[in-house]
Amino acid sequence: MALPIPPHFRPERVAEVWRVPYEERAREAQEWAREHEIAPASRDDLRICMVAVDVQNTFCTPGFELVVPGAVDDNRRLAEFIYRNLGSLTEIVPTLDTHQAVQIFHAAFLVDDEGRRPDPYTLVSAEDVKAGRWRIDPEIGVDPDHLLRYTRELEAGGRYELTVWPYHAMLGGIGHALVSAVEEAFFFHAVARRVGPSFEIKGFNPLTEHYSVLGPEVMGEKNEELIRKLLSFDVVVFAGQAKSHCVAWTIDDLLRHPDAEERELARRVYLLEDCTSPVVVPGVVDYTEEADAAMRRFAEAGMNVVRSTDPLERWPAVAARSAA
């Protein structure tokens, strides 16, 4: 049964940055749990995990570095979903894209023959590297052959070409922080259900891209501990940014895991389609088609595509457990 939205939530402030008043919200969350008879998460018979992908200022708040169009409304709906289903969400796993200045996808890492840096959204192919159009800045001290090996592995694996992104999600910066309204919802859930969010850091390795929280694009190990954790839940719900990149590749990694088919995982995975949007930079890049194609592929594999307003009790995995 859906709960009301707590009175502190202000949908008109989702696009703003502010300090969450933790002490006040904690008292309200405890009273909210008593008033609505919300049990601790440890008592859940049906265990539901929400993976909130990169709901950070850098991707979501107007004026920041790499804002995804639609992210503000996505986050309003995401916060409302959490509040309405506070008593059903067992655990929240927020992922945090986490970067430093000198990484393979930032301009500080690359130069051309004249020492010029690439512009944001430059695509770097293996052919570009082989032809000498781009190389690793020799002053960084990284093996110069790494870039060619890396771009070749991307192509062999059917991944996106190496993209030079604007500097974003910088560790220690305000862009790295969660969107305030969503952080507040996570905190309220934690106190009401007596279980803290399980944060997952990704993207700090300077030598590879890391869209999926479950592992880097190439040249790295999968996060088997997190995969096992997600496999242990009855339902796994995805939302966040961006639909074309970090959300898509995380779901892809999960559904491709060797244990996924045996455990019929796809049928237990849900995407909140109205709480995620693709990367679009007007006149520069538009990944809408790639995002939609990925979601169609996942749906054909059995994944459930739902809206945040769909009653949880009507979701097939939830309804089946209730009927058992």
Side-chain angles (χ1 to χ4, degrees):
M1 183 68 68
L3 295 169
I5 306 295
H8 70 259
F9 178 63
R10 295 288 185 268
E12 70 276 8
R13 296 198 66 197
V14 172
E16 301 175 17
V17 177
W18 76 87
R19 181 188 66 81
V20 175
Y22 299 115
E23 297 297 333
E24 182 181 350
R25 290 293 171 266
R27 290 191 294 271
E28 293 170 353
Q30 291 166 352
E31 179 56 35
W32 196 256
R34 285 192 293 269
E35 179 183 348
H36 295 281
E37 299 181 337
I38 300 171
S42 60
R43 300 182 192 175
D44 286 355
D45 291 325
L46 179 73
R47 299 179 68 248
I48 300 177
C49 177
M50 154 152 279
V51 182
V53 179
D54 299 357
V55 187
Q56 298 163 268
N57 290 319
T58 198
F59 300 116
C60 301
T61 301
F64 279 80
E65 302 88 1
L66 196 52
V67 175
V68 176
V72 172
D73 286 335
D74 292 340
N75 288 333
R76 173 183 56 77
R77 290 185 285 261
L78 175 58
E80 291 171 349
F81 173 83
I82 292 168
Y83 288 128
R84 283 197 305 269
N85 298 287
L86 202 71
S88 299
L89 297 176
T90 307
E91 187 171 334
I92 296 174
V93 177
T95 75
L96 293 174
D97 212 28
T98 304
H99 300 322
Q100 51 194 312
V102 184
Q103 296 200 240
I104 197 168
F105 45 80
H106 281 158
F109 200 88
L110 303 171
V111 293
D112 64 12
D113 285 341
E114 297 181 11
R116 294 174 299 197
R117 306 287 177 183
D119 293 328
Y121 307 108
T122 296
L123 299 179
V124 180
S125 68
E127 180 57 35
D128 290 332
V129 179
K130 186 177 179 181
R133 297 186 187 96
W134 296 111
R135 60 193 175 99
I136 297 173
D137 184 337
E139 299 298 333
I140 292 175
V142 172
D143 177 2
D145 294 329
H146 175 78
L147 189 61
L148 183 58
R149 291 195 301 268
Y150 182 79
T151 51
R152 282 175 170 170
E153 284 202 29
L154 286 178
E155 292 181 3
R159 315 301 278 187
Y160 289 137
E161 284 185 335
L162 171 61
T163 302
V164 179
W165 296 106
Y167 295 103
H168 67 288
M170 303 296 289
L171 182 62
I174 195 170
H176 184 259
L178 289 171
V179 168
S180 298
V182 176
E183 183 206 355
E184 187 173 51
F186 292 169
F187 180 79
F188 197 84
H189 172 273
V191 176
R193 304 232 55 207
R194 305 183 206 177
V195 58
S198 180
F199 285 93
E200 289 289 337
I201 302 296
K202 69 179 180 70
F204 200 64
N205 184 340
L207 299 181
T208 184
E209 299 156 288
H210 208 304
Y211 297 131
S212 168
V213 68
L214 301 180
E217 290 294 275
V218 294
M219 297 185 176
E221 300 296 325
K222 297 297 183 187
N223 188 341
E224 292 292 338
E225 182 178 354
L226 178 56
I227 292 171
R228 287 193 299 271
K229 179 187 183 76
L230 297 181
L231 287 171
S232 73
F233 283 90
D234 300 301
V235 175
V236 181
V237 186
F238 284 95
Q241 306 305 333
K243 183 180 182 182
S244 53
H245 287 73
C246 299
V247 172
W249 287 142
T250 299
I251 295 174
D252 189 66
D253 274 354
L254 186 61
L255 296 185
R256 286 178 182 270
H257 191 270
D259 292 339
E261 185 173 351
E262 178 184 345
R263 301 194 188 190
E264 298 184 325
L265 178 62
R267 285 193 273 181
R268 295 189 279 124
V269 173
Y270 287 75
L271 173 72
L272 299 182
E273 66 169 348
D274 59 343
C275 296
T276 183
S277 297
V279 170
V280 177
V281 180
V284 182
V285 294
D286 186 335
Y287 285 94
T288 302
E289 186 174 326
E290 289 85 348
D292 290 344
M295 296 310 143
R296 285 194 299 271
R297 186 172 73 252
F298 301 152
E300 289 168 1
M303 184 190 75
N304 302 271
V305 180
V306 298
R307 297 185 67 79
S308 62
T309 51
D310 292 343
L312 208 67
E313 60 268 21
R314 295 183 187 173
W315 290 10
V318 178
R321 177 61 70 90
S322 299

